[in-house]
Amino acid sequence: MKSILLIWFYCITNYCAAQQLPSEDGFFDPARDPVAKIFNERLRLLINEDVVIRSIIQGLPRVGIAEKVECQQIEDHWWLTLESRHAEDMEQSVFVAVRLKPDKEGNYFADSYWTACTGEGCGGCDFKLQMDGCFCRFDKPGEPGTPGACYQTASDEPLLIKVPLKVVRK
């Protein structure tokens, strides 16, 4: 029984450590801080989703309401992905994928390469290298049978920007 409690305590401690960013200045800095880490053979975010979203929006203002943030393996690389609605048109989709680069300790940092898929008449963009990049998963919102389109923007300039870990609410 004692060993079960010790194992349970160890797992909880590791999980809690994975949820905290080792930053002393109160900022997430993608040049310094890892985004994700391998725990129990699974890639997990080290920073709060809200921090990730704020960091991406600073560099890509078309991102509106975020629907999903996760780490995905696409081909041979891990990517930080964000699915959202367009900031100016809620019927449009925006999908952002930031490639992650590992270090020797199992930490993953935001790479400078990223791609964004923006839908025109598309309820959900996605990104797959084997499909030559961006594609529309769903028909045009409100018009079943009418295919939508997703346009791709790619860059090798860093997308994630240094942001405060906490936001003062007014």
Side-chain angles (χ1 to χ4, degrees):
M1 180 68 174
K2 197 177 206 181
S3 60
I4 292 174
L5 286 174
L6 286 173
I7 292 170
W8 181 79
F9 180 72
Y10 176 75
C11 291
I12 295 297
T13 305
N14 280 343
Y15 179 77
C16 291
Q19 302 303 313
Q20 297 174 358
L21 185 67
S23 175
E24 295 179 12
D25 64 355
F27 284 86
F28 163 68
D29 184 353
R32 166 194 75 200
D33 301 323
V35 175
K37 184 173 180 77
I38 296 283
F39 284 101
N40 298 328
E41 300 179 20
R42 192 163 170 215
L43 191 63
R44 299 190 186 274
L45 285 176
L46 285 175
I47 57 176
N48 189 299
E49 286 184 6
D50 178 57
V51 175
V52 172
I53 294 165
R54 285 188 289 113
S55 183
I56 290 174
I57 287 175
Q58 294 295 316
L60 197 64
R62 70 182 114 168
V63 171
I65 296 172
E67 297 174 334
K68 188 183 205 180
V69 176
E70 65 182 359
C71 295
Q72 289 184 28
Q73 194 161 22
I74 302 173
E75 299 269 324
D76 293 331
H77 296 283
W78 279 102
W79 298 75
L80 173 67
T81 61
L82 176 134
E83 293 180 41
S84 79
R85 300 283 97 206
H86 197 287
E88 296 176 7
D89 184 355
M90 290 297 291
E91 289 188 2
Q92 302 303 319
S93 170
V94 177
F95 181 90
V96 180
V98 178
R99 190 168 55 195
L100 300 175
K101 58 184 175 184
D103 69 4
K104 291 179 180 21
E105 286 83 42
N107 296 307
Y108 282 78
F109 294 83
D111 198 352
S112 59
Y113 181 77
W114 60 273
T115 191
C117 307
T118 307
E120 184 175 301
C122 177
C125 288
D126 204 346
F127 173 75
K128 299 284 183 237
L129 293 174
Q130 62 266 40
M131 296 191 72
D132 295 327
C134 297
F135 66 97
C136 186
R137 289 188 307 221
F138 308 114
D139 292 339
K140 186 173 182 178
E143 297 182 34
T146 304
C150 288
Y151 300 102
Q152 184 169 354
T153 304
S155 178
D156 60 1
E157 296 290 323
L159 175 64
L160 274 69
I161 295 174
K162 183 177 179 177
V163 293
L165 291 172
K166 297 187 191 287
V167 176
V168 178
R169 306 217 192 259
K170 296 178 185 179

